[in-house]
Amino acid sequence: MKREIRSSAVAGVAGAGAIVDVGQESFLVPGIDQWKQAQLKIIELPRLSSRLRKILKAPRAEKPSLMVRRFPRAMFCEKCRELVHWRTELEEKDSEPACPGKGCGGKLVSMRFVSACENGHLDDVDWRFWAHSGSGADRGCKSRDRLSFVVDPTAATGGLASVRVKCACGSSRSLEDLSNKAIIKETFRSCSGKHPWIHGKQESCDADVVVLQRGATNLHYPVTVSALDIPTAVVESTAAQYAGQIRDHAVYQKLLNLLRNTEGDTHDLVASFTELLAQVIGCSPADVLEVAQAEINGRLLGQEAGVAAAEVLDQAVLLDEEWQTIEGALREGGLVSSGFSAVTEELAPSAPRWMKAMVEGVLLVRRLREVRAYQGFQRVTPGAPDRMVRPDVGASENWLPAAEVFGEGIVLVLDYPALHAWAQALPRTERTAIEALESKRLDDNFWFLPKIDAVYLAVHTLSHLLLRRITFECGYSSSSLRERLYVNAERGYAAIMIYTADGDSEGSLGGLVRQGRKDRLAQSLIEAIDQGAWCSSDPVCSETAGQGLGGFNHAACHACSLVSETSCIAANTLLDRRMLFDPAWGLLRHLEKQP
C-alpha cells in the first residue's frame, strides 16, 4: 500500500524529527544519517550551499522512498480497547497495524499524545505510570502490558475528562490533566532525553516534559532558509562558492598532501580524489583543484562566504543580495538569466493617489527558481539558535535536505522614504507599543522573526491582504502562493514579492504574472484594501491587545489577515491592520494627504 507525502515537505514541515500522519497511521521522520543516498539528488545553488557549508540534496523524481518508523509506539485497539506497545516484529508488509491479541485483529490507532521538551527530545507518554499516578491508584502494581484505553460513561462532561487509561489492577486516570503543565512537571519530573529513531541512545536532559498532541504545530518548528536562483555579484568564482564544502570534506586533506608531495607519480591519485570531491559536492574538478592550489599558495578562497557549523544562516543576508539584483532589474527595465526572468510594468493611470504615492515600481517575474534548505528543528517553544536540533542529530553529515520550486511572481517596490516619513509621524503611544513588541521579541528569544518596526508591520499586513485577494483571481490555491519581503531600515528599501511556491509543478502557468499587469494590479490592490478594512470579528479583532504566536499580532486574525502557514515568512505574526487603516494615523490616510 502507498503512503505518500510531498517530496518538498522533507525540507520543511515533514523534515527530520517531524511526526507525519498518513491516513490514520502516524510516522516519525528519522535523522538524515539514516536516509538512503541512492534516493537523493544534488540541488545546485552555490550562493546558498556555500554559506551553509553543506551539500544540498532532495529526493529523486523516480520513485523516491524514505524509511520511517511508527510513532507514537503506544496504540490502542478500536475493537478491544487494549493498549499495545508497537514493536517491529509486529509489522506486516502492506498492511496497517492490527491488534495482536488472540482472536481480536482489531485496527490499532496511535495514541494522540506524546511527550517532548524544548531541547528537541521526543518520547511516548509513559501510560503505565500515568494510570498509576492518580488518587487511590495501586502504586505497587508491577504489570506493564495490561492497560486499556476506555471511555468513562460516568463522566459528567465529554472531552478528555471522559477518556481514561486503565490498568487491569483497577488503577486508572483520565486524560484531563495532560494539558496542565504544572501537573505534568510534577508527575514526570524531567525529560527522558530520547530521539526515538536512535535506538539505545539517551542523552542527559533536565528540561521540563510537556505533553502535546502529535499533530500540534509546536511539536516541530522547522528552521529553513531559502534563496532565489538570481544573478548576484557576491562571489567572484564558482570555486570560491564551493570552497567551504570542499575544505570540510574528509578527502580534501589527502588531496592537499598529494599536491604538496613532489616525489613520485601521484597524478592518477590526484585525479581520483579530485573527481570524487567534485562528484560528491556537485562542482567541477577544476573548482576542487583551484581551492586546493589557492590554499597551498597561502590563500583561502571563499573564507568570508560560509558560516560556522554551529551557526544558523541569517535569511536577511540572502534577501539583501536579492534586493540589489531586483533594484538593478527595475532600473534597467528587466533581467533575464538561466533561473530568473523579469520585466518592469507600470501602474494603471487610474490608480488612486495613495497607491501612486506608495508603489514606486512593479516587476513581473515570469520565471524564478527558489531553493529551500532545512537547517534543523526546535520543539515546544522557539528558542535560541543553539537549541536547534540539526537534521543529522549529531551524526556530522556533510549535506542538508533541500527542495527546489519553479514558478512566477510579482514584485511591488515601495517608496521607502514615504513609509519612513509616516512611521516617524506616528503618535508616541503607538511608537512606544511597537518598541515594546521589539523588546518582547528580543527578551523571549524569537530570533527567527525579523526586527519589528512600523514599516515592517504595515508592509507585511499589506502583503497578506494582497495575497488573500490575488488567490481568488490567479488560478492558484492559497497554499501555492508565498510571500517574500525585502524590508531594510538601514539601507532604506521595502518591497513585496508574491510568487508561486508549489514544489509539485512548475507553477508558471502565467496566472500570477497576469494579475500584475497594469490593467489588473491596481484593481486587485484596491479590492485587497477594501476587504482588509473590515473584519467579521470586529470590533474584537481590531481591539485585541495581542493575539497569535507570542501575542505579536494586533488587528489580525484568520477572518481578515492570516494566510496558510507555508505562505507566510513570519509564522503568521507581525500583522496589524491598524497600521494601514486607522482613521487618525494609518498609512493609507497619510498617503492620501500627500500632494
Side-chain angles (χ1 to χ4, degrees):
M1 60 185 300
K2 289 186 177 181
R3 301 177 177 94
E4 298 178 338
I5 60 172
R6 289 187 175 187
S7 60
S8 59
V10 298
V13 293
I19 297 178
V20 179
D21 287 335
V22 181
Q24 288 190 310
E25 298 178 280
S26 180
F27 303 95
L28 181 64
V29 180
I32 62 174
D33 57 304
Q34 300 183 35
W35 295 21
K36 295 180 180 179
Q37 292 297 308
Q39 298 282 340
L40 303 172
K41 64 179 180 180
I42 293 177
I43 300 294
E44 294 186 11
L45 187 60
R47 64 181 287 257
L48 180 57
S49 60
S50 64
R51 283 186 163 82
L52 294 169
R53 301 179 73 93
K54 297 282 187 179
I55 305 162
L56 304 179
K57 296 185 179 181
R60 292 185 179 276
E62 305 81 19
K63 298 182 179 179
S65 63
L66 179 63
M67 188 67 70
V68 295
R69 65 164 45 193
R70 296 191 186 277
F71 190 85
R73 290 162 293 184
M75 301 182 178
F76 70 92
C77 176
E78 290 183 328
K79 185 176 179 181
C80 69
R81 309 300 296 183
E82 290 293 315
L83 218 60
V84 177
H85 187 82
W86 188 257
R87 305 182 303 278
T88 305
E89 55 266 29
L90 297 176
E91 197 75 49
E92 294 185 10
K93 187 177 180 180
D94 293 332
S95 64
E96 297 182 3
C99 181
K102 186 176 181 180
C104 180
K107 185 177 181 180
L108 289 180
V109 179
S110 297
M111 291 292 283
R112 194 194 314 172
F113 295 92
V114 298
S115 64
C117 83
E118 61 183 14
N119 290 329
H121 298 119
L122 185 68
D123 202 359
D124 277 275
V125 175
D126 189 340
W127 294 111
R128 177 192 172 277
F129 187 79
W130 182 257
H132 295 85
S133 63
S135 59
D138 182 3
R139 302 290 200 279
C141 176
K142 303 297 183 181
S143 173
R144 302 195 65 85
D145 57 357
R146 297 190 300 166
L147 297 176
S148 56
F149 186 54
V150 298
V151 177
D152 183 1
T154 64
T157 60
L160 296 180
S162 64
V163 185
R164 309 185 72 86
V165 175
K166 183 178 181 181
C167 180
C169 72
S171 301
S172 69
R173 186 170 184 177
S174 77
L175 273 57
E176 183 178 17
D177 292 329
L178 285 178
S179 58
N180 189 314
K181 293 183 179 180
I183 292 177
I184 293 299
K185 180 179 179 180
E186 180 182 352
T187 303
F188 292 111
R189 302 296 178 184
S190 61
C191 171
S192 66
K194 293 182 179 179
H195 295 292
W197 60 83
I198 306 177
H199 181 70
K201 182 177 180 180
Q202 189 167 354
E203 302 171 342
S204 176
C205 181
D206 57 1
D208 293 338
V209 173
V210 177
V211 174
L212 300 170
Q213 294 194 50
R214 66 172 190 264
T217 303
N218 60 337
L219 190 60
H220 179 262
Y221 287 111
V223 180
T224 62
V225 63
S226 72
L228 298 182
D229 186 358
I230 191 170
T232 63
V234 178
V235 183
E236 296 180 355
S237 68
T238 56
Q241 291 175 313
Y242 288 110
Q245 296 164 256
I246 293 171
R247 285 195 295 267
D248 288 344
H249 199 280
V251 175
Y252 178 69
Q253 287 301 322
K254 296 179 181 179
L255 175 62
L256 279 183
N257 293 335
L258 286 173
L259 291 172
R260 286 169 175 156
N261 184 11
T262 58
E263 298 180 2
D265 185 7
T266 60
H267 180 270
D268 289 344
L269 278 175
V270 168
S272 177
F273 285 155
T274 302
E275 288 287 346
L276 174 62
L277 281 169
Q279 182 178 2
V280 169
I281 293 172
C283 61
S284 70
D287 291 333
V288 176
L289 288 174
E290 185 178 342
V291 172
Q293 290 292 349
E295 184 165 347
I296 291 173
N297 296 331
R299 296 183 297 114
L300 284 179
L301 290 182
Q303 194 172 20
E304 301 298 324
V307 296
E311 296 178 0
V312 176
L313 178 58
D314 189 355
Q315 180 72 67
V317 175
L318 300 169
L319 291 176
D320 191 58
E321 294 172 7
E322 292 168 11
W323 163 254
Q324 295 177 48
T325 303
I326 289 172
E327 187 180 36
L330 196 67
R331 185 173 57 250
E332 299 297 328
L335 172 67
V336 178
S337 68
S338 59
F340 190 82
S341 175
V343 295
T344 56
E345 181 75 358
E346 296 179 353
L347 272 179
S350 59
R353 177 184 298 178
W354 61 264
M355 193 181 302
K356 292 179 179 178
M358 179 172 60
V359 179
E360 195 173 74
V362 178
L363 205 61
L364 303 182
V365 184
R366 294 171 175 170
R367 180 177 69 248
L368 65 80
R369 172 177 175 256
E370 181 195 23
V371 175
R372 304 172 195 156
Y374 178 77
Q375 299 187 83
F377 66 90
Q378 295 193 355
R379 300 202 195 277
V380 184
T381 56
D386 58 4
R387 268 182 35 198
M388 182 186 76
V389 180
R390 299 194 172 271
D392 55 12
V393 198
S396 300
E397 293 288 319
N398 69 339
W399 64 281
L400 290 174
E404 62 179 345
V405 295
F406 301 87
E408 57 178 325
I410 307 170
V411 180
L412 268 68
V413 179
L414 307 180
D415 187 338
Y416 189 84
L419 296 176
H420 180 69
W422 159 75
Q424 293 298 107
L426 284 175
R428 183 60 194 169
T429 54
E430 293 302 324
R431 281 184 285 163
T432 301
I434 293 172
E435 290 168 1
L437 271 186
E438 172 61 10
S439 297
K440 176 180 173 63
R441 183 187 72 89
L442 297 174
D443 295 342
D444 293 351
N445 224 337
F446 284 88
W447 59 272
F448 61 93
L449 294 178
K451 182 180 179 180
I452 303 173
D453 60 28
V455 171
Y456 191 93
L457 291 175
V459 171
H460 192 204
T461 305
L462 177 63
S463 173
H464 274 228
L465 297 181
L466 182 58
L467 192 153
R468 285 166 64 99
R469 179 61 225 168
I470 285 182
T471 298
F472 290 99
E473 307 290 345
C474 68
Y476 293 106
S477 65
S478 59
S479 60
S480 295
L481 298 183
R482 190 177 176 91
E483 67 177 356
R484 197 171 186 85
L485 300 188
Y486 301 91
V487 181
N488 189 311
E490 287 74 22
R491 298 196 57 188
Y493 62 77
I496 298 170
M497 175 186 282
I498 295 177
Y499 63 105
T500 52
D502 194 341
D504 290 344
S505 65
E506 288 291 316
S508 54
L509 300 176
L512 186 54
V513 166
R514 183 71 183 88
Q515 294 306 309
R517 297 195 180 278
K518 65 180 180 181
D519 60 332
R520 296 203 177 197
L521 180 59
Q523 186 61 36
S524 294
L525 270 170
I526 291 171
E527 292 173 354
I529 292 300
D530 287 344
Q531 291 178 351
W534 180 83
C535 174
S536 59
S537 296
D538 279 339
V540 176
C541 175
S542 58
E543 294 179 0
T544 301
Q547 52 188 321
L549 178 66
F552 286 112
N553 289 341
H554 193 136
C557 68
H558 282 283
C560 61
S561 305
L562 271 59
V563 296
S564 303
E565 288 285 348
T566 54
S567 299
C568 179
I569 49 88
N572 264 331
T573 64
L574 309 186
L575 300 165
D576 189 348
R577 288 182 299 120
R578 298 176 314 128
M579 295 293 137
L580 297 174
F581 302 113
D582 189 277
W585 47 262
L587 174 61
L588 298 181
R589 182 174 178 82
H590 173 84
L591 294 175
E592 283 286 358
K593 296 178 180 179
Q594 300 306 301

